[in-house]
Amino acid sequence: MRIFIKTDMNGFPETETDYNAWQGFRELGFKPIFYSNDKELSGCTPDDLIVGGVSTITRKLNEYGIQISEYDYPEELSCFLGRRVWNDTLEGILSKQEQWPVFVKPVKDKVFVGFILQSEKDVPRRRQAKSDEPVLCSELVSFDTEWRAFVRYGNIWDVRPYRGDWHRNFDPEILEQAVKAFKSAPAGYAMDIGVTEKGQTLLVEINDGFALGCYGADPIQYARLLSARWCELVGIHDECDTYLEAVDWKKKRQIIY
């Protein structure tokens, strides 16, 4: 398995996440290959793991005939949300002022930045999205602190704060219950959780592990997570699965392979 890392114009890993992955894969014994634009990936095959932006990786996986599921708010985790979440279109929610204020985000990642819709002045933030663009709508919840839990083969290996008051902590039992309840989980993902002003620990959203902000996570463990998800998507053996954790994970999920 070859590893391709996105770089900037100066030849350095483009983002903190890219650098983190580069460091992790190096320490795992790989020799990452740098690329600065998508054209340099033309010779890649599914055996080549690509580290970079969501759009780049999505396009490459689509070339291989692989469609990526959107997780965001899994039905099986609805009891951990603490709020109502529903599907609509951008045009639909813009025409329903009685449902404002509401948080709006695209179903397809990176089509536009999710925003709180409170008045007409918020509309320009949708950028170039079409009026019939599928969106997810959510009742507003005030989170004082937000954390990202990194999960690989069903195991939480790190939780990193990324917004809010660091004094306030989450309820670890609720996080563990949510991970256990996520039966359709991918091999690698992040579960974002938040603590509300009332002290509740709720699910913010699920983020797929094929292109994931690291938030200062351990480089080796982060690289292992990227590898687990990539290999699951393309259907190859995970060379970073040193202790064959995937075997137990698949047995628990009753996956025949």
Side-chain angles (χ1 to χ4, degrees), residues 99-113:
Q99 295 185 1
W100 302 358
V102 61
F103 178 71
V104 181
K105 66 176 291 185
V107 171
K108 295 180 181 178
D109 202 4
K110 305 302 182 183
V111 173
F112 61 87
V113 177

Side-chain angles (χ1 to χ4, degrees), residues 223-244:
R224 289 182 186 275
L225 188 153
L226 293 179
S227 179
R229 182 54 174 148
W230 179 272
C231 294
E232 179 187 34
L233 283 166
V234 301
I236 63 175
H237 171 65
D238 180 6
E239 295 182 25
C240 295
D241 185 16
T242 308
Y243 302 104
L244 302 180

Side-chain angles (χ1 to χ4, degrees), residues 140-198:
L140 297 185
V141 173
S142 178
F143 289 110
D144 285 350
T145 309
E146 295 180 29
W147 304 73
R148 169 158 292 184
F150 294 88
V151 187
R152 173 178 172 271
Y153 293 134
N155 297 311
I156 303 168
W157 56 264
D158 197 4
V159 185
R160 311 289 296 186
Y162 64 86
R163 191 184 74 82
D165 183 0
W166 62 269
H167 291 89
R168 306 198 66 189
N169 212 334
F170 60 91
D171 186 332
E173 291 188 9
I174 292 178
L175 172 59
E176 290 173 344
Q177 291 170 11
V179 170
K180 186 176 181 180
F182 193 11
K183 302 297 184 182
S184 62
Y189 68 96
M191 178 176 288
D192 291 353
I193 55 173
V195 179
T196 69
E197 55 188 6
K198 296 181 179 180

